[in-house]
Amino acid sequence: MPQIHSQIDPATPDFRARAAAYDALLAQLSERLDWAQAGGGPKMVDRHHARNKILVRDRIELLIDPGTAFLELTPLAGWGLYDGKLPAAGLVTGIGTVRGTACMIIANDATVKGGSFYRETVKKHIRAQEIAAQNRLPVLYLVDCGGANLNQMEEVFYDENQFGGTFHRQCQMSALGIPQLAVVFGECTAGGAYIPALCDEFVMVDGAASIHLGGPPIVKAAISEIVDRHELGGAALHTRQSGVSDHIAPDEPAALGRLRDMVAALNYAQPFAPGRQPAAAPRYDAADLPGIVGTDLSRPFDQKEVIARLVDASDYHEFKPDWGDTITCGFAHIEGFPIGILANNGVLFSQACLKATHFIELCDQRGIPLLFLQNTTGFMVGKEAELGGISKDSAKLVYAMSNTRVPRYTVITGSSYGAGNYGMSGRGFRPHFLFMWPNARLGGMNPDVGSSVLMDLRRASISQNPATEQELADHEASLRRMFEEKSDPYFCTARIFDDGIIDPRDTRRVLGLCLAVGAMRPTIRLQSPVYRM
């Protein structure tokens, strides 16, 4: 393949200044990840240890194969919400390898609100199940769950994408032959009891785990019976008497070992795509990415410089390089896996839309997954653009992207605004994974345009709703702050609008893991025509 020849000189003062500014973003990301990993704080961690219980990420480390990676998803869910008291939304999810099998792991953090399910906890749990179902990954539940947060009933109980929806998905995956396995470490009460009960097989930790539809307080209130939780539903009772549990383990390490044995006994084939070739490191250093991108979104950068630091040997066969140049499309490999890349270099004009649509059809026909690198303010607007058919041509891109049968992966490297987010495989179009960089911004409009539109509406109503110039200026500043806040990557990841904020320098490794997971899906090789645009 042709190679990308980088034009970047890391020794220039401008590059160094951009890299230094990005270092502050990376330091902030590291600090906030520390908050997520600290769980419920020192007091709750000490109480957890006093009960001879292992912290949630240490459980995962014991579960996965030694020396293998764990791709944690949305670790900053809950950031800035609930006065900062819901780190990682009380749930750790991610993909790890257990006895040679790639699995989705969903693990409650009992140091955070007793492992109870808040709105964001449910959403994060469901997102992990969606990824597992899409990629046919066995799901391993590490259960230490206080059930639904009763103070948020309207947020967690009633609707299809709330707590009951997690059980619905669990049942459906099991019916499709996607294994559902669990370890119960602590109390599982009310709805939380269904997580292990709906699994194909599970183990309970003796003296610590219990399962009951109604805990001791509910039993006392309902039938005036006084009983402790182990008499009601302890590991010994459910394993040796009721038959609810399949195994009992003396402690947590033994229970995790039993779960590893369960995975080994699955006989669950995960074939890799035949198109994989030996991986080759990029010719250019990923450490350059912060200096290439910088923190000022008003300053453009060349996405091909980014691609050169992501793909094998920096080899990139560009499609239609001399036409529709506000998007680059091309074929490459990442960690040996074939990939078709679409990357914005600015606003999307009709030519760019048609070029991208044609390229998506090629990848779909050839069975090549798609990677979208988003940095766009959206589709072009204005009289000339509409006369040229931008509404029709952008719709073609949205249609082709929505209906492609190959896996799609999205990384927001800069701006992602308006319908540009849609055409470039935004979250509403269900990409297999979507990640953001710390400098990224995501929203319906950028702050300049959004505040201007709303201010025009406000000024149009001035006769009915008078205001001084100072009041109008204050209102405009307030609008801009609102748009800036709601497009911030931490605002988005806290609400699970992505699968996590990642360091740009880790992007190749993260994408390699995602592509490996996607390659385990059954290959769809349906012939379809390619319509030249």
Side-chain angles (χ1 to χ4, degrees):
M1 280 190 184
Q3 293 173 359
I4 298 174
H5 296 286
S6 177
Q7 305 301 311
I8 295 296
D9 180 2
T12 64
D14 181 64
F15 181 93
R16 290 178 175 176
R18 288 160 73 103
Y22 211 102
D23 283 344
L25 292 184
L26 295 176
Q28 182 184 63
L29 175 61
S30 177
E31 179 183 313
R32 293 180 179 184
L33 289 172
D34 287 345
W35 164 84
Q37 294 187 12
K43 181 178 178 181
M44 298 306 297
V45 167
D46 289 345
R47 188 165 81 171
H48 195 76
H49 283 148
R51 296 172 175 172
N52 295 317
K53 300 176 79 171
I54 301 171
L55 294 176
V56 61
R57 289 178 179 80
D58 294 334
R59 288 171 178 166
I60 293 170
E61 192 66 26
L62 288 171
L63 175 63
I64 63 176
D65 294 345
T68 61
F70 176 66
L71 177 59
E72 185 172 347
L73 303 171
T74 49
L76 292 172
W79 170 261
L81 305 174
Y82 309 104
D83 296 321
K85 295 178 181 178
L86 196 70
L91 189 73
V92 178
T93 64
I95 299 168
T97 303
V98 179
R99 296 293 291 268
T101 301
C103 301
M104 174 60 72
I105 299 170
I106 301 178
N108 304 111
D109 186 351
T111 71
V112 179
K113 305 295 185 180
S116 296
F117 277 73
Y118 283 65
R119 174 184 60 236
E120 291 73 21
T121 317
V122 173
K123 187 174 182 181
K124 184 171 178 176
H125 188 110
I126 286 176
R127 174 61 183 150
Q129 289 179 309
E130 288 174 344
I131 292 171
Q134 194 171 45
N135 296 284
R136 297 192 63 83
L137 298 175
V139 186
L140 312 182
Y141 301 90
L142 307 187
V143 190
D144 207 346
C145 169
N149 172 24
L150 298 180
N151 292 317
Q152 272 196 340
M153 292 292 284
E154 73 283 6
E155 302 281 1
V156 300
F157 180 75
Y158 301 100
D159 212 348
E160 61 187 40
N161 284 324
Q162 294 179 356
F163 203 19
T166 69
F167 309 133
H168 174 68
R169 288 166 172 78
Q170 197 172 339
C171 295
Q172 286 194 318
M173 281 192 282
S174 183
L176 290 170
I178 301 172
Q180 309 287 298
L181 308 173
V183 176
V184 181
F185 296 97
E187 186 172 10
C188 291
T189 189
Y194 281 118
I195 298 175
L198 291 172
C199 281
D200 308 332
E201 188 177 1
F202 73 92
V203 57
M204 297 178 71
V205 178
D206 193 20
S210 61
I211 295 174
H212 29 67
L213 292 183
I218 295 176
V219 170
K220 181 181 178 182
I223 61 173
S224 300
E225 182 179 3
I226 297 175
V227 61
D228 71 33
R229 69 183 184 92
H230 293 292
E231 294 173 322
L232 186 63
L237 180 145
H238 277 318
T239 309
R240 298 177 179 133
Q241 294 179 259
S242 73
V244 169
S245 170
D246 305 297
H247 309 278
I248 188 169
D251 53 35
E252 292 195 9
L256 291 164
R258 181 58 61 91
L259 180 56
R260 286 177 52 80
D261 292 342
M262 291 182 205
V263 175
L266 289 175
N267 189 32
Y268 194 73
Q270 290 181 323
F272 281 85
R276 190 181 188 191
Q277 64 181 30
R283 292 176 179 270
Y284 303 102
D285 195 344
D288 295 339
L289 288 171
I292 291 169
V293 174
T295 59
D296 183 357
L297 294 182
S298 68
R299 293 188 61 179
F301 60 88
D302 187 352
Q303 289 275 33
K304 281 190 278 190
E305 295 287 357
V306 173
I307 294 167
R309 289 155 177 83
L310 298 183
V311 303
D312 291 3
S314 302
D315 289 346
Y316 182 62
H317 174 57
E318 190 170 5
F319 177 71
K320 288 185 181 293
D322 300 316
W323 194 72
D325 61 1
T326 58
I327 192 167
T328 178
C329 305
F331 300 97
H333 289 78
I334 293 178
E335 297 289 1
F337 294 101
I339 192 76
I341 301 174
L342 300 94
N344 302 117
N345 272 320
V347 68
L348 288 161
F349 292 84
S350 280
Q351 286 185 345
C353 295
L354 296 176
K355 171 179 166 178
T357 302
H358 188 171
F359 182 73
I360 289 171
E361 289 183 338
L362 286 175
C363 291
D364 187 62
Q365 186 186 65
R366 299 173 186 179
I368 298 174
L370 292 164
L371 169 62
F372 294 81
L373 300 177
Q374 291 194 16
N375 181 29
T376 183
T377 53
F379 296 113
M380 189 60 190
V381 298
K383 182 178 178 180
E384 184 177 349
E386 294 297 347
L387 182 63
I390 188 65
S391 295
K392 169 173 59 72
D393 295 333
S394 63
K396 287 180 181 178
L397 173 56
V398 170
Y399 187 89
M401 178 273 301
S402 298
N403 287 291
T404 185
R405 295 157 295 186
V406 297
R408 288 179 282 114
Y409 307 92
T410 304
V411 179
I412 303 177
T413 63
S415 299
S416 177
Y417 289 123
N421 169 270
Y422 292 170
M424 290 294 290
S425 189
R427 189 55 171 269
F429 293 83
R430 296 168 174 80
H432 282 52
F433 291 92
L434 184 149
F435 299 99
M436 299 179 73
W437 285 359
N439 61 296
R441 293 295 183 271
L442 168 62
M445 289 184 180
N446 71 41
D448 289 334
V449 175
S451 57
S452 177
V453 168
L454 292 183
M455 278 306 297
D456 285 346
L457 294 173
R458 177 66 184 89
R459 290 183 186 279
S461 67
I462 200 75
S463 59
Q464 289 82 24
N465 188 10
T468 67
E469 284 300 318
Q470 184 59 52
E471 287 171 338
L472 290 173
D474 291 344
H475 183 60
E476 185 172 13
S478 170
L479 289 173
R480 185 176 181 84
R481 283 195 301 272
M482 181 268 290
F483 277 104
E484 288 176 343
E485 175 190 342
K486 292 189 176 182
S487 64
D488 185 88
Y490 293 100
F491 179 94
C492 298
T493 203
R495 292 156 180 81
I496 318 170
F497 298 155
D498 62 12
D499 293 311
I501 300 173
I502 59 174
D503 185 327
R505 299 168 298 184
D506 293 334
T507 305
R508 174 178 162 86
R509 179 182 63 83
V510 170
L511 288 174
L513 291 169
C514 293
L515 287 166
V517 169
M520 297 171 191
R521 300 169 66 248
T523 302
I524 300 173
R525 300 294 294 196
L526 299 177
Q527 294 302 311
S528 60
V530 174
Y531 297 101
R532 297 187 63 83
M533 294 296 120

